[in-house]
Amino acid sequence: MTQPPPPPPGQPPNQPPNQPPPGGFGGPQDPSAGGPSYGYPQQPGAPQPGSSPHSQPTQPGMPAQPGPPPQGGGYGYPQQGPPPGGAFGAPQQPGPPFGAPQAGPPGMYPGMPGPGFPGGPGKTGGGNSGAKVAAIIAVAVVLVVAVGIGGWLVLSGDDGGNTTATGGTSGTGTGGGGAEAEQLIDVKAPTVSEVTNVSGGWLVGDVFAKSSATEIVGTSVTDGSRAWTIPLKGGICAASQEKTDDGKVALVAKGSTASDANCDRLVLVDLTRHKVEWDKPLPNRPSRSNDNVTISGDTVATAWIGGAAGYRVSSGQQIWKAKDDAQCEDQGYAGGEELYAVVQCGHSFDSSQKYTVEKLDPATGKSQGRFQAPKGVQSVRVASTDPLVVVVGAGESTPTDVMTVGDDHKLKARISLGDRYNKPCGTEVQSCFGMAVGEDEVYLSTTEHAGSGEAGRRTNEIMAFDMDSGKTKWKSEAGEDRQIVPFTVEDGKVLGYKLPGYQQGGEIVSVTPGSGAQKTLLRMPKSEVGQGEQAFSLSTYSVRQPILFEDGKLFLQEKLVSEPRAGSQPKLAVGFGVK
């Protein structure tokens, strides 16, 4: 899978590429347009049966699509709307009275072709390598076009699928307080002659460990000095976001520094003892690229074009590998509390393509249940494994909908992103860094829009959605001329990152569910363009690496580095905290 490209050069930090829709944010909506106001809540409808590529019983996958909402309502507030009707994603037909059920083909997304075969049985494998290559190329083209004009494009799908929510609260964006941070580390990027993957960054004790071109470097957060270096045989292809309790992380790496080297090694690195624990060759025709590796319990799993495998963290023993003759393949794994595989059957971008999200026993790799994605889905990312929350591309490869899944592996709720909410994920299975998931709520950021003050000032909100119904519950405003991204949940509270600007540094805030009230935890110092926080192309619509906030410290990191431009010094990572 390809990596999403950076935003276009020359764009001021944190400025969105798009303008608010006609009429302005929060203004009355034109009922003839059929589009609800921003923040309108979501409601799933009756699920429709789907097909499973394996032998277990199929699961339902389609919520219903409601009609258009009534006029009025402010930006981000819950609206009153009609009961759902028709099929999820089905085009709405003109003519029926407002709120009447709409007709549409059941279980289909707009623009998708007719039904196809359900796929074959057996453990997933490398039977669809060509299809996967085509899918990846298509995703790359879409992303290049989208980011090339300044952000993600919303090419299809319906964002009017929202129904009634009662109440709703709005929190203030003026958190107040918070510790004044200093910059603790400034890790310069290596000099390279081509685009180089440097994904992976972890805090271990008082050292921040960061992947570089052919090594992992440890930097002391106490004095900013180089603490240690772990050399590798070749470049890094992928790195686990997770680390074990004793400080071990997993990498997919190249076996040499040759320009044509494959991503053919699975490497376990002990960051506590500063050494490679084990280094294993990957089976099933390793490819030139691999962007997926994850850890769950004592298992590290990786999937690539044409193969997949699982190993024991403790011993390096192989637990499973893909079958060469399987009709389905594991596109990627998502780990953490649970282990899930995103499984694709059929051919990309035609009626035979089907996706399931399969829960695996980490110790054996055997299936423990699966969620069948709706027909017409062309991509699946996993935002959380416990609870299971996925982000899908319906009728296109870029994200269009967030879906929450119950313990029975059936669809609970669908949240349509439309043009109201930022696309929170990149191209990889485990790349949803611009959203957060709690026990019973999902948190998204709204797209940036004009504030209520000075002309040209931009702002946005964090919006909370009920896990069971998909309805909006409350919102928390970034504040005048501020933009905010939710990125994790800690001790029951949402953590948001208020992005830096020309006149001020960024902030880490905690947001209280229900009230939306904010408390500032850490305030970063103002930085110049290309320095500190502003050395990274973070925006509300493009978060390409995890925002890491641990032990009261913020770390920003780079995923790709390239040959430096004249007068610039690219960064691998920066960190902030109280000394």
Side-chain angles (χ1 to χ4, degrees):
M1 295 179 226
T2 57
Q3 310 293 336
Q11 176 154 331
N14 310 323
Q15 296 300 313
N18 55 337
Q19 298 299 319
F25 289 78
Q29 305 297 316
D30 180 1
S32 65
S37 63
Y38 282 76
Y40 190 84
Q42 316 290 329
Q43 173 69 29
Q48 302 292 333
S51 300
S52 170
H54 300 284
S55 58
Q56 295 188 5
T58 60
Q59 304 292 346
M62 291 295 177
Q65 176 73 19
Q71 173 177 323
Y75 183 90
Y77 277 100
Q79 310 283 326
Q80 297 298 316
F88 173 39
Q92 303 298 315
Q93 302 298 323
F98 177 76
Q102 307 292 319
M108 305 284 279
Y109 280 100
M112 71 157 284
F117 70 87
K123 180 65 189 143
T124 59
N128 294 303
S129 299
K132 189 169 183 180
V133 172
I136 292 171
I137 292 173
V139 169
V141 171
V142 170
L143 292 180
V144 168
V145 173
V147 179
I149 63 171
W152 293 86
L153 290 179
V154 182
L155 302 178
S156 67
D158 176 33
D159 63 345
N162 308 317
T163 54
T164 305
T166 57
T169 58
S170 175
T172 177
T174 55
E180 296 292 337
E182 300 179 48
Q183 185 163 338
L184 303 177
I185 65 169
D186 185 342
V187 187
K188 294 179 175 59
T191 301
V192 296
S193 58
E194 59 184 0
V195 175
T196 302
N197 192 317
V198 291
S199 59
W202 314 266
L203 180 63
V204 184
D206 61 355
V207 171
F208 183 72
K210 180 72 185 87
S211 298
S212 188
T214 57
E215 62 188 7
I216 298 178
V217 296
T219 303
S220 168
V221 299
T222 303
D223 59 14
S225 64
R226 176 71 62 90
W228 44 257
T229 301
I230 304 173
L232 303 170
K233 295 177 181 177
I236 294 170
C237 305
S240 67
Q241 297 168 35
E242 307 83 11
K243 68 176 185 288
T244 65
D245 292 340
D246 56 353
K248 295 182 176 69
V249 299
L251 306 173
V252 174
K254 298 179 179 180
S256 74
T257 57
S259 59
D260 60 348
N262 286 333
C263 299
D264 57 1
R265 313 294 302 183
L266 185 63
V267 182
L268 191 80
V269 179
D270 188 331
L271 299 178
T272 303
R273 296 192 292 167
H274 326 141
K275 70 170 194 173
V276 171
E277 186 77 8
W278 50 256
D279 182 337
K280 302 287 183 180
L282 289 171
N284 293 87
R285 304 181 306 279
S287 66
R288 292 282 300 278
S289 65
N290 181 331
D291 57 26
N292 178 251
V293 63
T294 194
I295 294 175
S296 181
D298 190 37
T299 296
V300 53
T302 178
W304 61 95
I305 298 172
Y311 292 77
R312 297 203 190 284
V313 171
S314 54
S315 65
Q317 176 189 355
Q318 187 178 98
I319 305 171
W320 75 81
K321 69 175 182 177
K323 293 181 178 179
D324 288 330
D325 58 349
Q327 297 184 45
C328 302
E329 67 176 0
D330 292 358
Q331 274 209 329
Y333 299 102
E337 294 298 320
E338 304 287 352
L339 180 62
Y340 279 89
V342 173
V343 183
Q344 179 189 351
C345 298
H347 300 289
S348 301
F349 304 110
D350 68 20
S351 60
S352 67
Q353 179 178 255
K354 288 177 171 55
Y355 283 94
T356 58
V357 183
E358 187 168 350
K359 184 177 181 179
L360 303 181
D361 178 354
T364 64
K366 293 182 179 179
S367 174
Q368 295 182 319
R370 55 175 58 85
F371 165 68
Q372 177 71 52
K375 294 180 181 178
V377 162
Q378 294 186 6
S379 67
V380 176
R381 289 85 164 170
V382 178
S384 168
T385 61
D386 185 24
L388 179 59
V389 176
V390 299
V391 180
V392 306
E396 58 183 279
S397 57
T398 54
T400 62
D401 298 271
V402 177
M403 293 183 175
T404 64
V405 182
D407 292 337
D408 57 359
H409 299 108
K410 295 181 180 180
L411 180 69
K412 289 168 62 174
R414 164 220 168 201
I415 302 164
S416 177
L417 297 172
D419 58 2
R420 301 181 195 86
Y421 304 105
N422 289 303
K423 313 309 184 210
C425 310
T427 59
E428 300 95 339
V429 165
Q430 218 172 351
S431 63
C432 297
F433 308 129
M435 63 181 290
V437 177
E439 290 185 3
D440 50 20
E441 292 178 335
V442 173
Y443 308 101
L444 300 172
S445 66
T446 64
T447 52
E448 295 177 21
H449 57 89
S452 58
E454 219 175 298
R457 300 293 181 93
R458 310 289 292 180
T459 189
N460 77 321
E461 298 80 22
I462 290 175
M463 187 70 69
F465 295 85
D466 184 79
M467 186 81 68
D468 293 326
S469 68
K471 295 178 180 179
T472 51
K473 297 176 67 176
W474 54 268
K475 72 174 182 178
S476 187
E477 299 169 353
E480 188 64 26
D481 201 28
R482 298 306 299 254
Q483 301 83 38
I484 192 168
V485 177
F487 64 92
T488 193
V489 173
E490 186 176 277
D491 297 329
K493 294 187 177 182
V494 188
L495 295 189
Y497 179 36
K498 287 188 179 181
L499 303 177
Y502 288 122
Q503 303 301 323
Q504 57 195 342
E507 296 180 11
I508 297 295
V509 300
S510 68
V511 185
T512 302
S515 69
Q518 296 178 14
K519 177 182 178 182
T520 302
L521 303 179
L522 195 66
R523 294 180 186 273
M524 269 53 71
K526 176 185 171 183
S527 57
E528 301 299 324
V529 174
Q531 301 298 320
E533 294 174 280
Q534 300 219 55
F536 300 86
S537 301
L538 274 171
S539 67
T540 57
Y541 52 85
S542 179
V543 184
R544 301 192 305 271
Q545 280 286 274
I547 299 169
L548 186 63
F549 183 70
E550 287 188 25
D551 194 27
K553 302 176 182 67
L554 170 68
F555 299 94
L556 303 177
Q557 55 185 298
E558 192 52 84
K559 178 177 185 176
L560 301 172
V561 295
S562 57
E563 187 175 5
R565 299 175 184 173
S568 69
Q569 176 59 62
K571 311 288 185 183
L572 272 182
V574 296
F576 299 88
V578 179
K579 284 189 177 180

